Structure formats: C-alpha cells, structure tokens
Amino acid sequence: MKNLTYLFITMIVFTYCSSPKSEESVAESMQYRIAYNVWTDKEGDNYEVFSMKTDGSDARNITNLSGVEWTYFASGSDVLYISDRDTCTRCYFLYSTDAYGTEHSKIGGPQLKDSWMSTRKGGEEIIVNPRVEGDSAFYIINRQGALVQKIYTGLSYYSDPCFSPDGTEIVFRGSEKRFRPNIGYQDELYIVGVDGSNLRQLTYYPEGDTTADWYSYHAGPPYWEPNRNIITYHSKQQGGSYLFQINPDGSGLKKLTPDSITIGWHSWSPDGKLIAFDANSGGKEGKMNFDIFTMDYESGDITQVTTDTLFEQAPVFVEVRKINKNL
C-alpha cells in the first residue's frame, strides 16, 4: 500500500511539472531586445551600440564610449561588438556585453576587420575576420580569444562569415577580385566547409543589371536561418536594395521585401518569426536617414520601429530572460 501511495504521488508531481501550463510559463520567460548601431556624432565619428524593446521603446545607449563601437551579432544574451577603444582609430578588437550594457568584457584574439561574425556550439566558438599581416583566413576562436581553427577560402576577397546551423559550413561574401574599383570586383555569396573544402558559389547577380556600383552590395552579409534552413541577404538590384532568400543548394531564390522600401543589414529573431533590418526611411530618392524595421516572415507585414532622426543600422536580436514568479 505504501508503494502504491508513493507511485500515485509521483504521478501527480510528474504530471504537474510537465503540464502545458508550465511549458507556456517557461516560454513566456524569454523575451527579445534589439541591439543596433547608432551614429551619434557625425563630426566626431562616434558610433555607439543601443538596445531597445522590439516595439522601439526603452531605447538606451549600452556602450557610451568615444570612437567606434559596432555590433554585428548577438549570441543568446550576449551582444558581440567591435571597438577601437584603448587602441588606434578604427583598429578593432572584440568585446561582449548584455542587452543593457551592465557588464563589458574584452574577448582576446587578433585585431579584426569590419565584418559580420557568427557563433556555433552554443556561442562558445566565434568565427571572425581577422586583420593579421601575411594571413588570409577566417579564424574560429573560443570565448577567451584562443585560435581554434583557420579557414582558407582561396578567394582574393572574403568577409562576413556565418555558420550553418550544424556548424560544419560557412556562408560568406567573397570575390575572385580584390575590393578595389575598376578591376571587375563583384561580391557574391559562397559556401565552404569549415575545413576549407567544397567551395561553391551560391548567388549570381542578374546579368544586365547595372544599377549597383562596384562598392554596392551585390550580395550583402548573409544570415543562415536555422528554423527553415534558408540563407537571406540583401542585394542592390534595379535601383533599390532588397532582401532575398535562397536555399543552401542554390534553389528557391525569392525576393522578400517590396519595391517601396530600400533596406540594408538584417538579422533574424531566434524563433524564426521576425526579421529586423535597417532601411532608408527617406525612400529611394529621399534623405539618407536609416531607421530600424521589423518584418513578420509569414505575413510579410513590415513595422517601422524607430522614427527619430538618428542614423541607425545593423539590428540584432538579443535574448532577455524575464523572471516569472509563477515558475
């Protein structure tokens, strides 16, 4: 009888702990903020990283430093940003903070180029684009900045690496020509294994489209969205800059944003529901004033999140855990 009573109590506890209500409470405890770059002082060439709620409220400066601070990726609750603090102008090293800028830490490793980055293994490894004299590889480093691996692409130009969902490949911007005018430079997206094998070109800029200058993004920094296993990027085509998606095998090319909006850098929310991007709110022919927007992927509905006069770019989603007293 004692054993039956114990079994009955155990079943009740297990049912309560695994109930839908408990699962919903856990899901509700996770929220997002958007971190983004703001040109706060044009004359002084000062950039800061801000963060805000996804509706645009509670915007705050989370770096508050002189010089240049730019974020290009967030891993979970960590905002990764490059900064030229404590060094020469535009000599960047990697730092991290949280969504509110309460703690900052320098991640060791080499000086970095101005490039997007990505993480794998739960954020424990970061792929970066280093500025190392005599070397021409992407570096995978750990959270202490120690070198884990180098990836050589064999291309004259390479930037903005992003891991595949399983971490075995990267997609990146590359070109067979160096980034210089009048030599036939044109960036495209490429995929390569993390061991440097199986390099293949993913995107092909439309023939006959001459609206992109040599320095314009033919294929902008990519994002490998894990929930759908698609790759998204922006490209200047037909006079505007639009967001596209493509499958890793090169099929399924699709334009995602309308002609009415000219967009720039973008990222996805971890749940795969929202895309955040910066866009020229002045329109194609209007003033150059970039604001932050979000788009619901399924419906295509676009919301302008910031409406001020600041120059705001490169939004990334940061996880923020909310304490739920019912848990």
Side-chain angles (χ1 to χ4, degrees):
M1 185 66 179
K2 182 183 292 184
N3 290 339
L4 289 175
T5 302
Y6 175 79
L7 178 61
F8 178 72
I9 294 174
T10 302
M11 290 177 64
I12 293 175
V13 171
F14 177 79
T15 301
Y16 174 78
C17 291
S18 60
S19 67
K21 181 178 180 180
S22 178
E23 291 177 356
E24 289 175 1
S25 297
V26 171
E28 289 174 356
S29 69
M30 181 63 71
Q31 296 182 342
Y32 304 125
R33 289 178 68 88
I34 296 175
Y36 56 103
N37 302 327
V38 180
W39 195 3
T40 56
D41 182 0
K42 295 183 179 181
E43 293 183 359
D45 194 35
N46 187 46
Y47 291 82
E48 302 285 359
V49 179
F50 280 51
S51 87
M52 62 183 171
K53 293 182 179 180
T54 55
D55 63 1
S57 63
D58 192 33
R60 61 181 71 187
N61 187 339
I62 64 172
T63 49
N64 282 302
L65 296 165
S66 60
V68 175
E69 281 73 43
W70 284 324
T71 181
Y72 288 129
F73 197 76
S75 178
S77 59
D78 291 333
V79 179
L80 302 178
Y81 68 94
I82 60 175
S83 172
D84 62 2
R85 62 198 285 189
D86 304 324
T87 183
C88 58
T89 301
R90 304 228 171 184
C91 301
Y92 307 118
F93 289 90
L94 185 58
Y95 295 80
S96 69
T97 187
D98 59 23
Y100 299 100
T102 54
E103 295 183 6
H104 294 259
S105 61
K106 183 176 182 178
I107 298 174
Q111 183 179 331
L112 300 182
K113 296 178 182 177
D114 181 10
S115 171
W116 285 69
M117 60 193 68
S118 179
T119 63
R120 69 176 182 180
K121 297 184 179 180
E124 290 303 310
E125 293 184 352
I126 311 166
I127 186 167
V128 296
N129 193 4
R131 186 179 297 278
V132 177
E133 189 69 27
D135 206 355
S136 57
F138 291 124
Y139 282 15
I140 299 176
I141 60 176
N142 63 22
R143 290 305 296 258
Q144 290 71 48
L147 178 63
V148 175
Q149 187 178 340
K150 296 182 181 182
I151 303 175
Y152 291 93
T153 68
L155 296 177
S156 296
Y157 178 80
Y158 53 93
S159 190
D160 304 309
C162 181
F163 279 119
S164 62
D166 64 3
T168 63
E169 295 182 301
I170 61 167
V171 59
F172 66 98
R173 290 177 52 241
S175 175
E176 296 178 352
K177 304 288 186 180
R178 297 184 67 185
F179 185 70
R180 290 181 178 176
N182 305 322
I183 61 170
Y185 167 83
Q186 180 172 301
D187 58 332
E188 297 285 2
L189 296 189
Y190 290 81
I191 294 178
V192 69
V194 293
D195 60 357
S197 65
N198 195 28
L199 176 71
R200 60 193 188 275
Q201 186 173 333
L202 180 64
T203 62
Y204 294 85
Y205 194 73
E207 292 185 9
D209 191 332
T210 60
T211 58
D213 296 308
W214 72 270
Y215 53 81
S216 302
Y217 283 119
H218 296 82
Y223 199 106
W224 203 320
E225 204 285 308
N227 298 283
R228 299 174 179 82
N229 194 32
I230 58 174
I231 295 167
T232 49
Y233 65 100
H234 72 279
S235 175
K236 186 173 182 180
Q237 299 181 18
Q238 298 178 347
S241 183
Y242 311 113
L243 189 66
F244 294 83
Q245 77 173 49
I246 192 169
N247 295 326
D249 63 3
S251 65
L253 179 63
K254 178 183 178 181
K255 183 169 172 284
L256 295 178
T257 50
D259 293 344
S260 58
I261 189 168
T262 296
I263 82 157
W265 293 315
H266 78 289
S267 68
W268 285 77
S269 62
D271 59 13
K273 295 181 179 180
L274 290 177
I275 303 172
F277 57 84
D278 57 68
N280 179 14
S281 54
K284 288 184 181 181
E285 305 300 331
K287 63 180 181 179
M288 291 296 290
N289 181 60
F290 280 82
D291 280 298
I292 305 301
F293 295 72
T294 59
M295 182 176 77
D296 184 290
Y297 178 79
E298 294 298 334
S299 69
D301 292 339
I302 294 175
T303 301
Q304 183 170 347
V305 180
T306 63
T307 56
D308 49 44
T309 59
L310 294 173
F311 200 90
E312 299 153 324
Q313 292 182 296
V316 297
F317 286 92
V318 191
E319 294 180 356
V320 179
R321 292 192 176 276
K322 179 182 177 182
I323 297 176
N324 192 326
K325 296 181 179 180
N326 294 324
L327 293 178

